[in-house]
Amino acid sequence: MAEKKASMRKPVFAKVDELRPGTNGHNLVVKVLSSKMVLQKGRPDGPQVHQMRIAECLVGDETGVILFTARNEQVETMKPEATVILRNAKIDMFKGSMRLAVDKWGRVEAAADPATFTVKEDNNLSLVEYELVNIEE
């Protein structure tokens, strides 16, 4: 029996202003505007001590900006002025506002070429407050 290999789909890249609360699977090309370390602590796991790091990074494209939560190895990639490709990103809600994040199922990679677009900084989606309402049918 010959197995047919599933063909890989081409990634569809979204823009920052298309992001909505509670969604996932986003692919974006963004420019890092700023990066601020918010948590750095050692975590004893057996013989070696693992560092746990979390940084809040303001990232954006030509349609808007959003806060990105970078964890551990992602912090090194998220340097200011860097162009980054986010694959399989998701929207987390934190105190009613949207945050972009990439978990273990996604990837954060530095782009080979710097972005040519100018970031639209006056459309910050993380400043919009949302209230999620569950509707029972």
Side-chain angles (χ1 to χ4, degrees):
M1 228 159 90
E3 266 188 55
K4 187 176 179 184
K5 187 178 179 185
S7 62
M8 297 286 283
R9 289 188 322 204
K10 288 272 187 200
V12 177
F13 286 90
K15 297 293 180 189
V16 170
D17 69 343
E18 299 169 2
L19 302 175
R20 299 290 173 253
T23 58
N24 59 12
H26 303 291
N27 296 312
L28 298 126
V29 176
V30 293
K31 210 183 265 189
V32 181
L33 300 176
S34 66
S35 180
K36 182 178 128 192
M37 188 73 68
V38 291
L39 178 72
Q40 183 169 359
K41 66 179 183 179
R43 189 175 65 192
D45 270 354
Q48 69 242 109
V49 176
H50 292 283
Q51 278 281 53
M52 189 169 113
R53 295 175 297 165
I54 297 177
E56 285 185 346
C57 310
L58 189 63
V59 300
D61 61 15
E62 64 271 15
T63 63
V65 294
I66 190 167
L67 276 174
F68 177 81
T69 306
R71 299 176 189 280
N72 301 325
E73 311 82 44
Q74 298 172 355
V75 174
E76 277 93 40
T77 310
M78 304 302 286
K79 299 288 182 210
E81 299 301 313
T83 302
V84 179
I85 300 170
L86 305 175
R87 296 191 185 268
N88 202 20
K90 63 179 182 169
I91 300 293
D92 286 333
M93 296 304 290
F94 179 73
K95 295 183 179 176
S97 54
M98 293 195 305
R99 303 285 174 97
L100 194 60
V102 173
D103 59 12
K104 64 181 179 180
W105 305 110
R107 284 185 11 207
V108 175
E109 52 193 51
D113 302 321
T116 57
F117 55 79
T118 304
V119 177
K120 183 176 181 182
E121 295 185 46
D122 60 348
N123 184 19
N124 189 338
L125 296 183
S126 293
L127 295 179
V128 178
E129 195 166 318
Y130 292 89
E131 183 177 347
L132 295 178
V133 180
N134 293 328
I135 300 174
E136 290 186 28
E137 294 180 21

